[in-house]
Amino acid sequence: REVSPQRLVHYRNTWYLDAWCHRVDALRRFALDAIEDATVLADKPARTVAMKKVQDAMDAGYGIYAGGTQRWAVLRFDAQAAQWASREEWHPAQRGSWLDDGRYELRLPYVDDTELVMDVLRQGAQVQVLSPPALVLAVRQRLAAAAALYGQSDAGGH
């Protein structure tokens, strides 16, 4: 691909290149560890994109996936997980509130649910996705697929 680099992003111990992709005529994010070869095209000037446009396009939602329509997720953490969940930053635009019973509710923007679903699943029974319905369904489907691996047979899985 021919790209015009705009910035480097460090996220969860991995470096990414945000660049204008000339093939799709849009901004894209590339994992540096997946780039096998790079060549400077000295005879072609790079396209410059205003940093505000890069930030608006690439930083809108939770996680590393960008592009698409921003939606808001609402997560409810049980009282046991509420203490650490209230101190963790999932996204700079997140909003959290304490419930009377000690649980914690977190609202955060996301674009692609891939990484958000994985992070929700890591919390196990300590978090419940309340909305939007599509995110609830995505988590439910992943949990059902995981549960199906264990079936209802004996403890050894035979």
Side-chain angles (χ1 to χ4, degrees):
R1 289 187 190 215
E2 185 178 321
V3 301
S4 293
Q6 302 300 311
R7 68 177 180 174
L8 290 172
V9 177
H10 188 253
Y11 180 75
R12 292 190 174 184
N13 301 316
T14 301
W15 284 95
Y16 297 89
L17 172 69
D18 287 348
W20 184 265
C21 178
H22 296 277
R23 186 178 80 183
V24 297
D25 204 29
L27 288 164
R28 292 292 185 262
R29 180 164 285 160
F30 302 93
L32 287 187
D33 61 2
I35 297 173
E36 296 177 7
D37 188 36
T39 303
V40 175
L41 302 175
D43 60 329
K44 293 186 175 184
R47 177 175 178 158
T48 301
V49 179
M51 190 50 60
K52 173 86 170 103
K53 183 175 179 178
V54 174
Q55 291 168 336
D56 289 349
M58 306 305 286
D59 300 342
Y62 176 79
I64 203 64
Y65 299 99
T69 304
Q70 185 183 64
R71 292 162 286 180
W72 284 83
V74 180
L75 312 177
R76 184 178 296 150
F77 293 86
D78 69 15
Q80 182 179 350
Q83 289 300 318
W84 65 261
S86 67
R87 293 189 299 266
E88 187 173 340
E89 182 178 287
W90 292 52
H91 189 274
Q94 73 187 34
R95 295 188 295 258
S97 59
W98 286 95
L99 303 177
D100 291 340
D101 60 3
R103 294 180 298 166
Y104 185 75
E105 203 164 280
L106 179 65
R107 290 179 40 86
L108 66 148
Y110 74 101
V111 176
D112 182 290
D113 68 12
T114 304
E115 191 172 358
L116 183 53
V117 168
M118 289 187 299
D119 284 344
V120 165
L121 293 174
R122 255 193 289 283
Q123 310 308 316
Q126 294 182 311
V127 66
Q128 178 184 7
V129 177
L130 301 179
S131 68
L135 182 60
V136 172
L137 179 62
V139 171
R140 183 181 297 131
Q141 289 172 336
R142 291 284 299 272
L143 286 170
L149 292 175
Y150 296 94
Q152 302 235 346
S153 62
D154 65 81
H158 300 289

